[in-house]
Amino acid sequence: MNKSCSNCGQPFEPEPGYYFGAMFISYAINTALFITAWVALSIIKPDYSLSLLLSLLGLTVLIFLPFIYRVSRSIWISIFVKYRGEDFPGTS
């Protein structure tokens, strides 16, 4: 991630360890993905094996890891730093 916002200058790492809480958001997102993959596999192939399920979950994690990393950090910072786009010049 960038060090700070290019528009307003808000630092994206206000203090060391700030994004520790984003780990819990990432955990929730991954849990939702795992349940979705498990339900989809149960519908598509009702007689699946454990190795197929674990392979599917591992592949899901690898595919969505970059997305989940950034989204969980963005959600975490948006909880504490409110977006005020109209307060800054050049934004509408």
Side-chain angles (χ1 to χ4, degrees):
M1 292 184 76
N2 296 330
K3 295 286 183 194
S4 62
C5 176
S6 59
N7 190 28
C8 67
Q10 167 71 38
F12 289 140
E13 183 108 21
E15 61 189 42
Y18 177 76
Y19 287 107
F20 180 74
M23 175 182 65
F24 298 106
I25 294 173
S26 174
Y27 179 77
I29 293 170
N30 276 314
T31 301
L33 278 174
F34 287 177
I35 291 171
T36 303
W38 174 53
V39 169
L41 183 62
S42 296
I43 291 171
I44 293 170
K45 187 174 180 198
D47 57 341
Y48 61 87
S49 66
L50 180 61
S51 60
L52 178 62
L53 177 63
L54 293 177
S55 298
L56 178 65
L57 295 180
L59 184 63
T60 303
V61 167
L62 289 176
I63 290 171
F64 288 104
L65 183 66
F67 174 75
I68 292 171
Y69 175 76
R70 289 185 182 261
V71 167
S72 64
R73 288 172 64 110
S74 296
I75 291 171
W76 185 251
I77 198 168
S78 70
I79 291 171
F80 299 103
V81 179
K82 301 301 177 203
Y83 175 72
R84 297 174 298 152
E86 66 277 353
D87 291 348
F88 299 104
T91 61
S92 53

Coordinates of all heavy atoms in Angstrom, one line a residue:
M1 N 0.8 -1.2 0.0 CA 0.0 0.0 0.0 C 0.9 1.2 0.0 O 2.0 1.2 0.4 CB -0.9 0.0 1.2 CG -2.0 -1.1 1.2 SD -3.1 -1.0 2.6 CE -4.1 0.4 2.1
N2 N 0.3 2.3 -0.4 CA 1.0 3.6 -0.4 C 1.3 4.0 1.0 O 0.6 3.7 1.9 CB 0.2 4.7 -1.2 CG 0.1 4.3 -2.7 OD1 0.9 3.7 -3.2 ND2 -1.0 4.7 -3.2
K3 N 2.3 4.9 1.2 CA 2.6 5.4 2.5 C 1.5 6.4 3.0 O 1.2 6.5 4.2 CB 3.9 6.1 2.5 CG 5.1 5.2 2.3 CD 5.4 4.3 3.5 CE 6.6 3.4 3.2 NZ 6.7 2.4 4.2
S4 N 1.0 7.2 2.0 CA -0.1 8.2 2.4 C -1.0 8.4 1.2 O -0.6 8.1 0.1 CB 0.6 9.5 2.9 OG 1.3 10.1 1.8
C5 N -2.1 9.0 1.5 CA -3.0 9.4 0.4 C -2.5 10.4 -0.5 O -2.0 11.5 0.0 CB -4.4 9.8 1.0 SG -5.6 10.3 -0.2
S6 N -2.5 10.2 -1.8 CA -2.0 11.2 -2.7 C -2.8 12.5 -2.8 O -2.4 13.6 -3.2 CB -1.9 10.6 -4.1 OG -3.1 10.2 -4.6
N7 N -4.1 12.4 -2.3 CA -5.0 13.6 -2.4 C -4.9 14.4 -1.1 O -4.7 15.6 -1.2 CB -6.4 13.1 -2.6 CG -7.3 14.3 -2.9 OD1 -6.9 15.3 -3.5 ND2 -8.6 14.1 -2.6
C8 N -5.0 13.8 0.0 CA -5.1 14.5 1.3 C -3.9 14.4 2.2 O -3.8 15.1 3.2 CB -6.4 14.1 2.1 SG -6.3 12.5 2.7
G9 N -3.0 13.4 1.9 CA -1.9 13.3 2.7 C -2.1 12.4 4.0 O -1.1 12.3 4.8
Q10 N -3.2 11.8 4.2 CA -3.5 11.0 5.4 C -2.6 9.8 5.3 O -2.5 9.0 4.4 CB -5.0 10.5 5.3 CG -5.3 9.3 6.3 CD -5.3 9.8 7.7 OE1 -5.8 10.9 8.0 NE2 -4.8 9.0 8.6
P11 N -1.8 9.6 6.4 CA -0.9 8.4 6.4 C -1.7 7.1 6.5 O -2.6 7.1 7.3 CB 0.0 8.7 7.6 CG -0.7 9.6 8.5 CD -1.6 10.4 7.6
F12 N -1.3 6.1 5.8 CA -2.0 4.9 5.8 C -1.5 4.0 6.9 O -2.1 2.9 7.2 CB -1.9 4.1 4.5 CG -2.8 4.8 3.4 CD1 -2.3 4.9 2.1 CD2 -4.0 5.3 3.7 CE1 -3.0 5.5 1.1 CE2 -4.8 5.9 2.7 CZ -4.3 6.0 1.4
E13 N -0.4 4.3 7.6 CA 0.1 3.6 8.8 C 0.3 4.6 9.9 O 1.4 5.0 10.2 CB 1.4 2.9 8.4 CG 2.0 2.0 9.5 CD 1.8 0.6 9.3 OE1 1.7 0.2 8.1 OE2 1.9 -0.2 10.2
P14 N -0.8 4.9 10.6 CA -0.8 5.9 11.7 C 0.2 5.6 12.8 O 0.8 6.5 13.4 CB -2.2 6.0 12.2 CG -3.1 5.4 11.1 CD -2.2 4.4 10.4
E15 N 0.3 4.3 13.1 CA 1.2 3.9 14.2 C 1.7 2.4 13.9 O 1.0 1.7 13.2 CB 0.5 4.0 15.5 CG -0.7 3.1 15.6 CD -1.5 3.4 16.9 OE1 -1.7 4.5 17.3 OE2 -1.9 2.4 17.5
P16 N 2.8 2.0 14.5 CA 3.2 0.6 14.3 C 2.2 -0.4 14.8 O 1.7 -0.2 15.9 CB 4.6 0.6 15.1 CG 5.0 2.0 15.2 CD 3.8 2.8 15.2
G17 N 1.9 -1.4 14.1 CA 1.0 -2.4 14.5 C -0.5 -2.0 14.3 O -1.4 -2.7 14.8
Y18 N -0.7 -0.9 13.6 CA -2.0 -0.4 13.5 C -3.0 -1.4 12.8 O -4.1 -1.5 13.2 CB -2.0 0.9 12.7 CG -3.4 1.5 12.4 CD1 -4.1 2.2 13.4 CD2 -4.0 1.4 11.1 CE1 -5.3 2.7 13.1 CE2 -5.2 1.9 10.9 CZ -5.9 2.5 11.9 OH -7.1 3.1 11.7
Y19 N -2.5 -2.1 11.8 CA -3.3 -3.0 11.1 C -3.5 -4.4 11.7 O -3.9 -5.3 11.0 CB -2.8 -3.1 9.6 CG -3.1 -1.9 8.9 CD1 -2.1 -1.0 8.5 CD2 -4.4 -1.6 8.5 CE1 -2.4 0.2 7.8 CE2 -4.7 -0.4 7.8 CZ -3.6 0.5 7.5 OH -3.9 1.6 6.8
F20 N -3.1 -4.6 12.9 CA -3.3 -5.8 13.6 C -4.8 -6.2 13.6 O -5.1 -7.4 13.4 CB -2.8 -5.8 15.1 CG -2.9 -7.0 15.8 CD1 -2.1 -8.1 15.6 CD2 -3.9 -7.1 16.8 CE1 -2.3 -9.3 16.3 CE2 -4.1 -8.3 17.5 CZ -3.3 -9.4 17.2
G21 N -5.6 -5.3 13.8 CA -7.1 -5.5 13.8 C -7.6 -5.9 12.4 O -8.7 -6.6 12.3
A22 N -6.9 -5.6 11.4 CA -7.3 -6.0 10.0 C -7.2 -7.5 9.8 O -7.9 -8.1 9.0 CB -6.5 -5.3 9.0
M23 N -6.4 -8.1 10.7 CA -6.3 -9.6 10.7 C -7.7 -10.2 11.0 O -8.1 -11.2 10.4 CB -5.3 -10.0 11.7 CG -5.2 -11.5 11.8 SD -3.9 -12.0 13.1 CE -4.7 -11.3 14.5
F24 N -8.4 -9.6 11.9 CA -9.7 -10.2 12.2 C -10.8 -10.0 11.1 O -11.6 -10.8 10.9 CB -10.2 -9.6 13.5 CG -9.3 -9.9 14.7 CD1 -8.5 -8.9 15.2 CD2 -9.3 -11.1 15.2 CE1 -7.7 -9.2 16.3 CE2 -8.4 -11.4 16.3 CZ -7.6 -10.4 16.8
I25 N -10.7 -8.9 10.4 CA -11.5 -8.7 9.2 C -11.2 -9.6 8.1 O -12.0 -10.2 7.5 CB -11.4 -7.2 8.8 CG1 -12.0 -6.3 9.9 CG2 -12.1 -7.0 7.4 CD1 -11.8 -4.8 9.6
S26 N -9.9 -9.8 7.9 CA -9.4 -10.8 7.0 C -9.9 -12.2 7.3 O -10.3 -13.0 6.4 CB -7.9 -10.8 6.9 OG -7.4 -11.8 6.0
Y27 N -9.9 -12.6 8.6 CA -10.4 -13.8 9.0 C -11.9 -14.0 8.7 O -12.3 -15.0 8.2 CB -10.2 -14.0 10.5 CG -10.6 -15.3 11.1 CD1 -9.9 -16.4 11.0 CD2 -11.8 -15.3 11.9 CE1 -10.4 -17.6 11.6 CE2 -12.3 -16.5 12.4 CZ -11.6 -17.6 12.2 OH -12.0 -18.8 12.8
A28 N -12.7 -13.0 8.9 CA -14.1 -13.0 8.6 C -14.3 -13.2 7.1 O -15.2 -13.9 6.7 CB -14.8 -11.7 9.2
I29 N -13.6 -12.4 6.3 CA -13.7 -12.5 4.9 C -13.4 -13.9 4.4 O -14.1 -14.5 3.6 CB -12.9 -11.5 4.1 CG1 -13.5 -10.1 4.5 CG2 -12.9 -11.7 2.6 CD1 -12.6 -8.9 4.0
N30 N -12.2 -14.5 4.9 CA -11.8 -15.8 4.5 C -12.9 -16.9 5.0 O -13.1 -17.8 4.2 CB -10.5 -16.1 5.1 CG -9.3 -15.6 4.3 OD1 -9.3 -15.8 3.1 ND2 -8.4 -15.0 4.9
T31 N -13.4 -16.7 6.2 CA -14.4 -17.6 6.6 C -15.6 -17.6 5.7 O -16.2 -18.7 5.3 CB -14.9 -17.3 8.1 OG1 -13.7 -17.3 8.9 CG2 -15.9 -18.2 8.5
A32 N -16.1 -16.4 5.3 CA -17.2 -16.3 4.3 C -16.8 -17.0 3.0 O -17.7 -17.7 2.4 CB -17.6 -14.9 4.1
L33 N -15.6 -16.8 2.5 CA -15.2 -17.5 1.3 C -15.1 -19.0 1.4 O -15.5 -19.7 0.5 CB -13.8 -16.9 0.8 CG -13.8 -15.6 0.1 CD1 -12.3 -15.2 -0.1 CD2 -14.5 -15.8 -1.2
F34 N -14.6 -19.5 2.5 CA -14.6 -20.9 2.8 C -15.9 -21.5 2.8 O -16.2 -22.6 2.2 CB -13.8 -21.2 4.1 CG -12.4 -21.0 4.0 CD1 -11.6 -21.2 5.2 CD2 -11.7 -20.6 2.9 CE1 -10.2 -21.0 5.2 CE2 -10.3 -20.4 2.9 CZ -9.6 -20.6 4.0
I35 N -16.9 -20.9 3.5 CA -18.2 -21.4 3.6 C -18.9 -21.4 2.2 O -19.5 -22.4 1.8 CB -19.1 -20.6 4.6 CG1 -18.6 -20.9 6.0 CG2 -20.6 -20.9 4.5 CD1 -19.2 -20.0 7.1
T36 N -18.6 -20.3 1.4 CA -19.2 -20.2 0.0 C -18.6 -21.4 -0.8 O -19.3 -22.0 -1.6 CB -18.9 -18.9 -0.6 OG1 -19.4 -17.9 0.3 CG2 -19.4 -18.7 -2.0
A37 N -17.3 -21.6 -0.8 CA -16.7 -22.6 -1.6 C -17.2 -24.0 -1.1 O -17.4 -24.9 -2.0 CB -15.1 -22.5 -1.4
W38 N -17.3 -24.2 0.2 CA -17.8 -25.5 0.7 C -19.2 -25.8 0.2 O -19.6 -26.9 -0.2 CB -17.7 -25.5 2.2 CG -18.3 -26.7 2.9 CD1 -18.0 -28.0 2.6 CD2 -19.2 -26.7 3.9 NE1 -18.7 -28.8 3.4 CE2 -19.5 -28.0 4.3 CE3 -19.9 -25.7 4.6 CZ2 -20.4 -28.4 5.2 CZ3 -20.8 -26.0 5.6 CH2 -21.0 -27.4 5.9
V39 N -20.1 -24.8 0.3 CA -21.5 -24.9 -0.2 C -21.5 -25.2 -1.7 O -22.3 -26.0 -2.2 CB -22.4 -23.7 0.3 CG1 -23.7 -23.7 -0.4 CG2 -22.5 -23.7 1.8
A40 N -20.8 -24.4 -2.4 CA -20.7 -24.6 -3.9 C -20.2 -26.0 -4.2 O -20.8 -26.6 -5.1 CB -19.8 -23.5 -4.5
L41 N -19.2 -26.5 -3.6 CA -18.7 -27.8 -3.8 C -19.7 -28.9 -3.5 O -19.9 -29.9 -4.2 CB -17.4 -28.1 -3.1 CG -16.7 -29.4 -3.3 CD1 -16.3 -29.6 -4.8 CD2 -15.5 -29.6 -2.4
S42 N -20.5 -28.6 -2.4 CA -21.5 -29.6 -1.9 C -22.6 -29.6 -3.0 O -23.2 -30.7 -3.1 CB -22.1 -29.2 -0.6 OG -21.1 -29.2 0.4
I43 N -22.9 -28.5 -3.6 CA -24.0 -28.5 -4.6 C -23.5 -29.1 -5.9 O -24.2 -29.9 -6.5 CB -24.5 -27.0 -4.8 CG1 -25.2 -26.6 -3.6 CG2 -25.4 -26.9 -6.1 CD1 -25.6 -25.1 -3.6
I44 N -22.3 -28.8 -6.3 CA -21.8 -29.2 -7.6 C -21.4 -30.7 -7.5 O -21.7 -31.5 -8.5 CB -20.5 -28.4 -8.0 CG1 -21.0 -27.0 -8.3 CG2 -19.8 -29.0 -9.2 CD1 -19.8 -26.0 -8.5
K45 N -20.8 -31.1 -6.5 CA -20.3 -32.5 -6.3 C -20.6 -33.0 -4.9 O -19.7 -32.9 -4.0 CB -18.8 -32.6 -6.6 CG -18.3 -34.0 -6.7 CD -16.9 -34.0 -7.2 CE -16.4 -35.4 -7.2 NZ -15.8 -36.3 -7.3
P46 N -21.8 -33.6 -4.7 CA -22.1 -33.9 -3.3 C -21.2 -35.0 -2.7 O -21.1 -35.1 -1.4 CB -23.6 -34.5 -3.5 CG -24.0 -34.0 -4.8 CD -22.8 -33.8 -5.6
D47 N -20.6 -35.8 -3.4 CA -19.7 -36.9 -2.9 C -18.3 -36.5 -3.0 O -17.4 -37.3 -3.4 CB -20.0 -38.2 -3.6 CG -19.8 -38.2 -5.1 OD1 -19.8 -37.0 -5.6 OD2 -19.7 -39.2 -5.7
Y48 N -17.9 -35.3 -2.6 CA -16.5 -34.9 -2.6 C -15.7 -35.5 -1.5 O -16.2 -36.0 -0.5 CB -16.4 -33.3 -2.5 CG -17.0 -32.8 -1.2 CD1 -16.1 -32.7 -0.1 CD2 -18.3 -32.4 -1.1 CE1 -16.6 -32.1 1.1 CE2 -18.8 -31.8 0.1 CZ -17.9 -31.7 1.2 OH -18.4 -31.2 2.3
S49 N -14.3 -35.5 -1.8 CA -13.4 -36.0 -0.8 C -12.8 -34.9 0.0 O -12.9 -33.7 -0.4 CB -12.3 -36.8 -1.4 OG -11.5 -35.9 -2.2
L50 N -12.2 -35.2 1.2 CA -11.6 -34.2 2.0 C -10.4 -33.5 1.3 O -10.3 -32.3 1.4 CB -11.1 -34.8 3.3 CG -10.5 -33.8 4.3 CD1 -11.4 -32.7 4.7 CD2 -10.0 -34.6 5.5
S51 N -9.7 -34.3 0.5 CA -8.5 -33.7 -0.2 C -9.0 -32.7 -1.3 O -8.4 -31.7 -1.5 CB -7.7 -34.8 -0.8 OG -8.4 -35.6 -1.7
L52 N -10.1 -33.0 -1.9 CA -10.7 -32.1 -2.9 C -11.1 -30.8 -2.2 O -10.9 -29.7 -2.7 CB -11.9 -32.7 -3.6 CG -12.6 -31.8 -4.7 CD1 -11.6 -31.4 -5.8 CD2 -13.8 -32.5 -5.3
L53 N -11.8 -30.9 -1.1 CA -12.2 -29.7 -0.3 C -11.1 -28.9 0.1 O -11.1 -27.7 -0.1 CB -13.1 -30.1 0.9 CG -13.5 -29.0 1.8 CD1 -14.5 -28.1 1.0 CD2 -14.2 -29.5 3.0
L54 N -10.0 -29.5 0.7 CA -8.9 -28.8 1.1 C -8.1 -28.1 0.0 O -7.6 -27.0 0.1 CB -7.9 -29.7 1.9 CG -8.5 -30.1 3.3 CD1 -7.5 -31.1 3.9 CD2 -8.8 -29.0 4.2
S55 N -8.1 -28.8 -1.2 CA -7.4 -28.2 -2.3 C -8.2 -27.0 -2.8 O -7.6 -26.0 -3.2 CB -7.3 -29.3 -3.5 OG -6.6 -30.4 -3.1
L56 N -9.5 -27.1 -2.9 CA -10.3 -26.0 -3.3 C -10.2 -24.8 -2.3 O -10.0 -23.7 -2.8 CB -11.8 -26.4 -3.3 CG -12.8 -25.3 -3.7 CD1 -12.6 -24.9 -5.1 CD2 -14.2 -25.8 -3.5
L57 N -10.2 -25.1 -1.0 CA -10.0 -24.0 -0.1 C -8.6 -23.3 -0.2 O -8.4 -22.1 -0.1 CB -10.2 -24.5 1.3 CG -11.6 -24.9 1.7 CD1 -11.7 -25.4 3.1 CD2 -12.6 -23.9 1.4
G58 N -7.6 -24.1 -0.4 CA -6.2 -23.6 -0.6 C -6.1 -22.8 -1.9 O -5.5 -21.7 -1.9
L59 N -6.7 -23.2 -2.9 CA -6.7 -22.5 -4.2 C -7.5 -21.2 -4.0 O -7.1 -20.1 -4.5 CB -7.4 -23.3 -5.3 CG -7.3 -22.7 -6.7 CD1 -5.9 -22.5 -7.2 CD2 -8.1 -23.6 -7.6
T60 N -8.6 -21.2 -3.3 CA -9.4 -20.0 -3.0 C -8.6 -19.0 -2.3 O -8.6 -17.8 -2.6 CB -10.7 -20.4 -2.2 OG1 -11.4 -21.3 -2.9 CG2 -11.5 -19.1 -2.0
V61 N -7.8 -19.4 -1.3 CA -7.0 -18.5 -0.5 C -5.9 -17.9 -1.4 O -5.7 -16.7 -1.4 CB -6.3 -19.2 0.7 CG1 -5.2 -18.4 1.3 CG2 -7.3 -19.6 1.7
L62 N -5.2 -18.7 -2.2 CA -4.2 -18.2 -3.1 C -4.7 -17.2 -4.1 O -4.1 -16.2 -4.4 CB -3.5 -19.3 -3.8 CG -2.6 -20.2 -2.9 CD1 -2.0 -21.3 -3.7 CD2 -1.5 -19.4 -2.3
I63 N -5.9 -17.4 -4.6 CA -6.4 -16.5 -5.6 C -6.9 -15.2 -5.0 O -6.6 -14.1 -5.6 CB -7.6 -17.2 -6.4 CG1 -7.1 -18.3 -7.3 CG2 -8.4 -16.2 -7.2 CD1 -8.2 -19.2 -7.9
F64 N -7.5 -15.3 -3.9 CA -8.1 -14.0 -3.3 C -7.2 -13.3 -2.3 O -7.5 -12.3 -1.7 CB -9.4 -14.4 -2.6 CG -10.5 -14.6 -3.6 CD1 -11.0 -15.9 -3.8 CD2 -11.1 -13.6 -4.3 CE1 -12.0 -16.2 -4.7 CE2 -12.1 -13.8 -5.2 CZ -12.5 -15.1 -5.4
L65 N -6.0 -13.9 -2.0 CA -5.1 -13.3 -1.0 C -4.8 -11.8 -1.2 O -4.9 -11.0 -0.3 CB -3.8 -14.1 -0.8 CG -2.9 -13.7 0.2 CD1 -3.5 -13.8 1.6 CD2 -1.6 -14.4 0.1
P66 N -4.3 -11.4 -2.4 CA -4.0 -10.0 -2.6 C -5.2 -9.1 -2.4 O -5.1 -8.0 -1.9 CB -3.5 -9.9 -4.1 CG -3.1 -11.3 -4.4 CD -4.0 -12.2 -3.6
F67 N -6.4 -9.6 -2.9 CA -7.6 -8.8 -2.8 C -8.0 -8.7 -1.3 O -8.3 -7.6 -0.8 CB -8.7 -9.5 -3.6 CG -10.1 -8.8 -3.4 CD1 -10.4 -7.6 -4.0 CD2 -11.0 -9.5 -2.6 CE1 -11.6 -7.0 -3.8 CE2 -12.3 -8.9 -2.4 CZ -12.6 -7.7 -3.0
I68 N -8.0 -9.8 -0.6 CA -8.4 -9.8 0.8 C -7.5 -8.9 1.7 O -7.9 -8.2 2.6 CB -8.5 -11.2 1.4 CG1 -9.7 -11.9 0.7 CG2 -8.7 -11.2 2.9 CD1 -9.7 -13.4 1.0
Y69 N -6.2 -9.0 1.4 CA -5.2 -8.2 2.1 C -5.5 -6.7 2.1 O -5.6 -6.0 3.1 CB -3.8 -8.5 1.6 CG -2.7 -7.6 2.1 CD1 -2.2 -7.9 3.4 CD2 -2.2 -6.6 1.4 CE1 -1.2 -7.1 3.9 CE2 -1.1 -5.8 1.9 CZ -0.7 -6.1 3.2 OH 0.3 -5.3 3.7
R70 N -5.7 -6.2 0.9 CA -6.0 -4.8 0.7 C -7.4 -4.4 1.2 O -7.5 -3.3 1.8 CB -5.8 -4.4 -0.8 CG -4.4 -4.4 -1.2 CD -4.2 -3.9 -2.6 NE -2.9 -4.0 -3.0 CZ -2.0 -2.9 -3.0 NH1 -2.5 -1.8 -2.6 NH2 -0.8 -3.1 -3.4
V71 N -8.4 -5.2 1.0 CA -9.7 -4.9 1.4 C -9.8 -4.9 2.9 O -10.4 -4.0 3.5 CB -10.8 -5.9 0.8 CG1 -12.1 -5.7 1.5 CG2 -10.9 -5.6 -0.7
S72 N -9.2 -5.8 3.6 CA -9.3 -5.9 5.0 C -8.6 -4.6 5.7 O -9.1 -4.1 6.6 CB -8.7 -7.2 5.6 OG -7.3 -7.3 5.3
R73 N -7.4 -4.2 5.1 CA -6.8 -3.0 5.6 C -7.6 -1.8 5.3 O -7.7 -0.9 6.1 CB -5.4 -2.9 4.9 CG -4.4 -3.9 5.5 CD -3.1 -4.0 4.7 NE -2.4 -2.7 4.8 CZ -1.2 -2.5 5.5 NH1 -0.7 -3.6 6.2 NH2 -0.6 -1.4 5.5
S74 N -8.2 -1.7 4.1 CA -9.1 -0.6 3.8 C -10.3 -0.5 4.7 O -10.7 0.6 5.1 CB -9.5 -0.7 2.3 OG -8.4 -0.6 1.5
I75 N -10.9 -1.6 5.0 CA -12.0 -1.6 5.9 C -11.6 -1.2 7.3 O -12.2 -0.4 8.0 CB -12.7 -3.0 6.0 CG1 -13.4 -3.3 4.6 CG2 -13.7 -3.1 7.1 CD1 -13.9 -4.7 4.5
W76 N -10.4 -1.7 7.8 CA -10.0 -1.4 9.1 C -9.7 0.1 9.2 O -10.1 0.8 10.2 CB -8.7 -2.2 9.4 CG -8.2 -2.0 10.8 CD1 -7.1 -1.3 11.2 CD2 -8.8 -2.4 12.0 NE1 -7.0 -1.3 12.6 CE2 -8.1 -2.0 13.1 CE3 -10.0 -3.2 12.3 CZ2 -8.4 -2.3 14.4 CZ3 -10.3 -3.4 13.6 CH2 -9.5 -3.0 14.6
I77 N -9.0 0.7 8.3 CA -8.7 2.2 8.4 C -10.0 3.0 8.2 O -10.1 4.1 8.8 CB -7.6 2.6 7.4 CG1 -7.0 4.0 7.9 CG2 -8.1 2.7 6.0 CD1 -5.8 4.4 7.2
S78 N -11.0 2.5 7.4 CA -12.2 3.3 7.3 C -13.1 3.3 8.5 O -13.9 4.1 8.7 CB -13.0 2.8 6.1 OG -13.5 1.5 6.4
I79 N -12.8 2.3 9.4 CA -13.5 2.3 10.7 C -13.1 3.5 11.6 O -13.9 4.1 12.2 CB -13.3 1.0 11.4 CG1 -14.0 -0.2 10.7 CG2 -13.8 1.1 12.9 CD1 -13.7 -1.5 11.2
F80 N -11.8 3.8 11.5 CA -11.3 4.9 12.4 C -11.1 6.2 11.7 O -11.1 7.3 12.4 CB -10.0 4.4 13.0 CG -10.1 3.2 13.8 CD1 -9.8 1.9 13.3 CD2 -10.7 3.2 15.1 CE1 -10.0 0.8 14.1 CE2 -10.9 2.1 15.8 CZ -10.5 0.9 15.3
V81 N -10.8 6.2 10.4 CA -10.6 7.5 9.7 C -11.7 7.6 8.7 O -11.8 6.9 7.7 CB -9.2 7.4 8.9 CG1 -9.0 8.7 8.2 CG2 -8.1 7.2 9.9
K82 N -12.6 8.6 8.9 CA -13.8 8.8 8.1 C -13.4 9.5 6.8 O -12.6 10.4 6.8 CB -14.8 9.6 8.8 CG -15.3 8.9 10.1 CD -15.9 7.6 9.8 CE -16.3 6.9 11.1 NZ -16.4 5.5 11.0
Y83 N -14.0 9.1 5.7 CA -13.8 9.7 4.4 C -14.5 11.0 4.4 O -15.7 11.1 4.6 CB -14.3 8.8 3.3 CG -14.2 9.4 1.9 CD1 -13.0 9.6 1.3 CD2 -15.3 9.8 1.3 CE1 -12.9 10.2 0.1 CE2 -15.3 10.4 0.0 CZ -14.1 10.6 -0.6 OH -14.0 11.2 -1.8
R84 N -13.8 12.1 4.0 CA -14.4 13.4 3.9 C -14.0 14.0 2.6 O -13.3 15.0 2.5 CB -14.0 14.3 5.1 CG -14.5 13.8 6.4 CD -13.9 14.6 7.5 NE -12.5 14.5 7.5 CZ -11.6 15.4 8.0 NH1 -12.1 16.5 8.5 NH2 -10.3 15.2 7.9
G85 N -14.4 13.5 1.5 CA -14.0 13.9 0.1 C -14.3 15.3 -0.2 O -13.6 16.0 -0.9
E86 N -15.5 15.8 0.3 CA -15.9 17.2 0.0 C -15.1 18.2 0.7 O -15.1 19.4 0.4 CB -17.4 17.4 0.3 CG -17.8 17.2 1.7 CD -18.0 15.8 2.2 OE1 -17.9 14.9 1.4 OE2 -18.1 15.6 3.4
D87 N -14.3 17.8 1.7 CA -13.5 18.8 2.5 C -12.2 19.2 1.8 O -11.5 20.1 2.3 CB -13.2 18.2 3.9 CG -14.4 18.1 4.8 OD1 -15.5 18.7 4.4 OD2 -14.3 17.5 5.8
F88 N -11.9 18.4 0.8 CA -10.6 18.7 0.1 C -10.8 19.3 -1.2 O -11.7 18.9 -2.0 CB -9.8 17.3 0.0 CG -9.5 16.7 1.4 CD1 -10.3 15.7 1.8 CD2 -8.6 17.3 2.2 CE1 -10.0 15.1 3.0 CE2 -8.3 16.7 3.5 CZ -9.1 15.6 3.9
P89 N -9.9 20.2 -1.6 CA -10.1 20.9 -2.9 C -9.8 19.9 -4.0 O -8.9 19.0 -3.9 CB -9.0 22.0 -2.9 CG -8.1 21.7 -1.8 CD -8.8 20.8 -0.8
G90 N -10.4 20.0 -5.1 CA -10.2 19.1 -6.3 C -11.0 17.9 -6.2 O -10.9 17.0 -7.1
T91 N -11.9 17.7 -5.2 CA -12.8 16.5 -5.2 C -14.2 17.0 -5.3 O -14.5 18.1 -4.9 CB -12.6 15.7 -3.9 OG1 -12.9 16.5 -2.8 CG2 -11.2 15.2 -3.8
S92 N -15.0 16.1 -5.8 CA -16.4 16.5 -5.9 C -17.3 15.5 -5.3 O -17.0 14.5 -4.9 CB -16.8 16.6 -7.4 OG -16.5 15.5 -8.1

